Amino acid sequence: ILGSSSEYRKSLLSTLGLDFTCKSPNIDESRLLNEKPENMSSRLAIEKAKKICSTERDSLVIGSDSCASCDGKILGKPLNKDKAIEYLKFISGKHIFFYTSICVMNSNTMRYKNDNAKYKIKIKKLKLNDILNYVEIHKPFHSSAAFKYEVAKDILIDDFVDDEKDISGLIGLPLVKLK
């Protein structure tokens, strides 16, 4: 069971040819006081898997969560146009870190394994018109920091450090970590 309502995660997992269902965990994704972004994404991936496991039996449940950080500020999903523009103005010309965590949990034993993927990306110095066009065309309202890797790679990225050798984590589910 994929514990997510994300179409991106569903699409990524389907590339592995696995038979799975999706179920939304509907958890509170608020940041804890002074929580580091990598700890937050890991905690939320585990909580999502636990939530699904609480109602399912005889299943392996996959939980995943992503967050972005720039200049010490965690940037979640903007959810609207104004916030997306604000985030993109903020990250323009800066380094941004993306953290994607995955948890695979046995619903019978509640035992799990989890892992994290980290990416460092240098964002181009963006002109306001480029930001407005990107937001209008790609509507990145449900992507951390308004960054949709699938389209952002050509528009927003100046430099990219990929220690993971797996860009799937930037889309929402680090497949190499899953295997």
Side-chain angles (χ1 to χ4, degrees), residues 28-97:
D28 179 1
E29 296 189 32
S30 301
R31 180 182 182 196
L32 300 178
L33 184 64
N34 299 319
E35 188 173 33
K36 293 180 179 179
E38 58 269 33
N39 295 342
M40 180 179 163
S41 68
S42 184
R43 175 182 59 83
L44 292 175
I46 294 167
E47 284 185 18
K48 289 175 180 181
K50 280 183 182 176
K51 177 77 181 264
I52 301 300
C53 283
S54 71
T55 61
E56 298 294 331
R57 287 287 143 252
D58 303 321
S59 299
L60 284 178
V61 177
I62 301 168
S64 185
D65 192 77
S66 301
C67 72
S69 174
C70 182
D71 286 350
K73 180 178 179 181
I74 291 180
L75 305 171
K77 298 171 185 167
L79 303 179
N80 63 56
K81 183 177 181 177
D82 291 339
K83 194 66 154 179
I85 292 167
E86 177 187 323
Y87 280 178
L88 291 164
K89 285 180 179 178
F90 180 72
I91 66 173
S92 176
K94 298 179 182 175
H95 280 98
I96 187 166
F97 295 88

Side-chain angles (χ1 to χ4, degrees), residues 29-171:
E29 296 189 32
S30 301
R31 180 182 182 196
L32 300 178
L33 184 64
N34 299 319
E35 188 173 33
K36 293 180 179 179
E38 58 269 33
N39 295 342
M40 180 179 163
S41 68
S42 184
R43 175 182 59 83
L44 292 175
I46 294 167
E47 284 185 18
K48 289 175 180 181
K50 280 183 182 176
K51 177 77 181 264
I52 301 300
C53 283
S54 71
T55 61
E56 298 294 331
R57 287 287 143 252
D58 303 321
S59 299
L60 284 178
V61 177
I62 301 168
S64 185
D65 192 77
S66 301
C67 72
S69 174
C70 182
D71 286 350
K73 180 178 179 181
I74 291 180
L75 305 171
K77 298 171 185 167
L79 303 179
N80 63 56
K81 183 177 181 177
D82 291 339
K83 194 66 154 179
I85 292 167
E86 177 187 323
Y87 280 178
L88 291 164
K89 285 180 179 178
F90 180 72
I91 66 173
S92 176
K94 298 179 182 175
H95 280 98
I96 187 166
F97 295 88
F98 287 90
Y99 304 91
T100 303
S101 298
I102 190 166
C103 174
V104 179
M105 186 174 290
N106 181 312
S107 66
N108 293 336
T109 65
M110 299 300 282
R111 292 184 61 172
Y112 66 89
K113 296 226 181 236
N114 71 307
D115 207 343
N116 307 292
K118 178 181 176 182
Y119 306 89
K120 179 181 178 181
I121 296 173
K122 173 77 162 90
I123 302 297
K124 292 178 184 177
K125 186 70 175 158
L126 305 170
K127 296 179 179 142
L128 180 57
N129 193 46
D130 294 333
I131 291 172
L132 297 175
N133 286 336
Y134 172 79
V135 170
E136 189 63 35
I137 294 167
H138 302 293
K139 301 181 183 354
F141 312 130
H142 297 284
S143 300
S144 295
F147 182 92
K148 288 177 77 171
Y149 177 77
E150 313 81 271
V151 292
K153 63 183 180 237
D154 299 324
I155 301 168
L156 304 179
I157 297 176
D158 187 32
D159 191 25
F160 178 28
V161 177
D162 180 14
D163 292 338
E164 302 297 332
K165 306 292 185 243
D166 174 30
I167 56 98
S168 63
L170 277 173
I171 301 170

